[in-house]
Amino acid sequence: MALSQTISGFRSSRWFALVWIAPAVLAGLFLLVLAARGIRASEGGQSFVTAFPGESALPWFAPVGFPAWLAWQHGLNAFFLLFIIRSGWLVRTTKRPDAYWTRNNSGLIKTPGKPVRISLNLWMHISIDTLWLLNGVLFYVLIFSTGQWTRIIPTRWDVFPNAISAALQYASLNWSVENGWVNYNSLQVLSYFLVVFIAAPLALITGIRMSPGLAVRFAPLDRIFPLPVARAIHFPVMIFFAAFTVVHVTLVLATGAIKNLNHMYAGNNGYGWGGFWIFAASIVIMVAAWIAAKPIVLRAIAGTFGHVGR
């Protein structure tokens, strides 16, 4: 009796629908692999992959390799993005926040209006966003001053058919040998361009539009950029970043983990274990920070910049 009641209660819960997600995704991936393999085995598919191997040529002045500053920024971006997604999800799903934060209207930042009271989760979201923004601005400056922009901004039209070819190779689980140290494949180029120059600015613009205290000042923009539109864009952008991160990490580990991690974390093109251990250390730091980011800790940190209460 108790078992049947438990099963009945589970079926009526909102989580029951999620039971079908995993098998549906696996079935979809299986069909995708079969379709990709069929296309690659065909005469037309083979000719297409031969004509467009998946990589578009870079300009002659494009740099080779990854400098140390890029490795640091990549690690910081991963750290910030983890907590941006976490705090953003809490802001969206928490109905009754445990605490609220009000900025001290004194010191360097002083406004004529009264500071807005926001939830502690929103304070965390905005704070991490600010650090992420500073890291992003520095990233923009450095990639355009060092030529690294040539690796993530398409400069040739053949990047599009090559991206389709790379996607076909990934989907068929039979990808060609490549060297990201010298040149990304075209699918990576388009993906990184989308993340850096479209998704990130969209997250920033919509976030500012939704920011408490600023939303009222942007009221004249309601006709051309309504607040509901900003909200409708901001959340899907967060989901996009989460999905991109999952796919990105999966492919990094599946297409030559040691070498890829050396590229991204150790700044070399070797097969040593340096990049792996730096990556492992960064995971430990993120896990420790995740565990430490409890309300009592956030209260203490937020309290140094304003008043925390209920």
Side-chain angles (χ1 to χ4, degrees), residues 39-299:
I39 294 173
R40 286 203 64 178
S42 68
E43 183 178 348
Q46 292 176 10
S47 299
F48 179 76
V49 172
T50 300
F52 301 100
E55 185 178 278
S56 182
L58 294 177
W60 63 268
F61 55 87
V64 175
F66 303 98
W69 60 263
L70 191 56
W72 275 97
Q73 286 214 301
H74 181 270
L76 286 173
N77 185 70
F79 181 88
F80 294 147
L81 193 58
L82 174 67
F83 287 94
I84 286 173
I85 293 174
R86 173 184 175 174
S87 58
W89 182 256
L90 289 175
V91 168
R92 185 177 178 87
T93 58
T94 302
K95 295 182 179 180
R96 293 185 178 180
D98 294 329
Y100 291 86
W101 178 83
T102 306
R103 175 175 57 84
N104 289 329
N105 198 20
S106 60
L108 296 177
I109 303 177
K110 188 174 183 179
T111 59
K114 185 178 180 180
V116 177
R117 182 170 173 259
I118 62 176
S119 70
L120 195 60
N121 290 330
L122 184 55
W123 169 83
M124 179 183 178
H125 190 65
I126 293 175
S127 299
I128 301 297
D129 274 341
T130 302
L131 297 176
W132 177 71
L133 174 61
L134 293 175
N135 189 55
V137 170
L138 181 59
F139 174 76
Y140 278 178
V141 171
L142 289 174
I143 63 169
F144 284 109
S145 61
T146 61
Q148 288 289 335
W149 65 268
T150 57
R151 297 170 59 89
I152 60 173
I153 296 181
T155 57
R156 295 165 58 98
W157 286 109
D158 68 349
V159 69
F160 296 105
N162 274 300
I164 296 173
S165 175
L168 181 62
Q169 293 174 56
Y170 278 132
S172 66
L173 302 182
N174 184 22
W175 45 78
S176 61
V177 178
E178 58 186 40
N179 187 3
W181 183 257
V182 177
N183 189 7
Y184 291 131
N185 69 56
S186 294
L187 185 60
Q188 288 177 295
V189 173
L190 294 181
S191 299
Y192 297 154
F193 177 84
L194 179 62
V195 168
V196 174
F197 297 105
I198 297 180
L202 270 178
L204 174 63
I205 294 169
T206 55
I208 292 176
R209 180 68 182 90
M210 296 163 54
S211 179
L214 294 178
V216 176
R217 298 186 181 185
F218 291 147
L221 295 176
D222 278 345
R223 290 186 178 181
I224 59 175
F225 191 17
L227 191 58
V229 172
R231 288 173 178 159
I233 295 174
H234 196 73
F235 181 69
V237 170
M238 185 193 79
I239 297 300
F240 166 78
F241 272 113
F244 171 82
T245 301
V246 171
V247 174
H248 177 63
V249 173
T250 299
L251 290 178
V252 164
L253 298 179
T255 59
I258 295 300
K259 195 170 185 179
N260 288 334
L261 292 175
N262 276 329
H263 291 176
M264 298 163 61
Y265 288 91
N268 67 66
N269 193 33
Y271 289 91
W273 286 81
F276 170 82
W277 290 117
I278 297 174
F279 169 72
S282 71
I283 295 298
V284 171
I285 292 172
M286 286 191 283
V287 171
W290 182 282
I291 296 173
K294 298 179 179 179
I296 188 172
V297 176
L298 296 179
R299 284 171 181 260

